[in-house]
Amino acid sequence: MTAEVFGADESGSAIDPYSPDHVAPLVAYLASPAAERISGQVFVVYGGMVALLAAPVVEQRFDTEHDIWSADELDSTLGSFFAGRDPEVSFAADSILSL
């Protein structure tokens, strides 16, 4: 299912690290009474690893000066903000790749 995105599995593991077989135990656990205190979280599962992501933060708020945004106002507001911003700063969660 993920071979075209991530390439063929070359880990040598008996189970492909991207296999849903790794996710199923976490889903079953989260659906159990034992996980009653866990809610609203984002997990990454890869092979035998489960990682908990930190909550995102609001970096910037943009408000329209009118009743509804127009394309021109969005371009002026967002365009000026992103014009001076490092294009490498994104929500791609690249740090997950190093896990």
Side-chain angles (χ1 to χ4, degrees), residues 2-52:
T2 59
E4 290 184 27
V5 176
F6 300 106
D9 174 27
E10 298 178 10
S11 68
S13 298
I15 301 173
D16 183 333
Y18 294 109
S19 170
D21 293 338
H22 293 291
V23 178
L26 176 63
V27 172
Y29 171 72
L30 292 173
S32 76
E36 68 181 333
R37 296 180 52 119
I38 303 172
S39 180
Q41 304 300 314
V42 176
F43 295 95
V44 173
V45 178
Y46 175 77
M49 177 212 63
V50 175
L52 172 64

Side-chain angles (χ1 to χ4, degrees), residues 24-90:
L26 176 63
V27 172
Y29 171 72
L30 292 173
S32 76
E36 68 181 333
R37 296 180 52 119
I38 303 172
S39 180
Q41 304 300 314
V42 176
F43 295 95
V44 173
V45 178
Y46 175 77
M49 177 212 63
V50 175
L52 172 64
L53 300 186
V57 298
V58 175
E59 177 181 346
Q60 182 72 34
R61 178 179 164 164
F62 304 97
D63 294 291
T64 182
E65 295 178 6
H66 309 285
D67 291 332
I68 192 167
W69 286 96
S70 70
D72 288 340
E73 185 184 20
L74 283 167
D75 181 47
S76 172
T77 305
L78 295 178
S80 64
F81 177 79
F82 284 96
R85 188 170 187 254
D86 180 355
E88 295 295 317
V89 175
S90 70

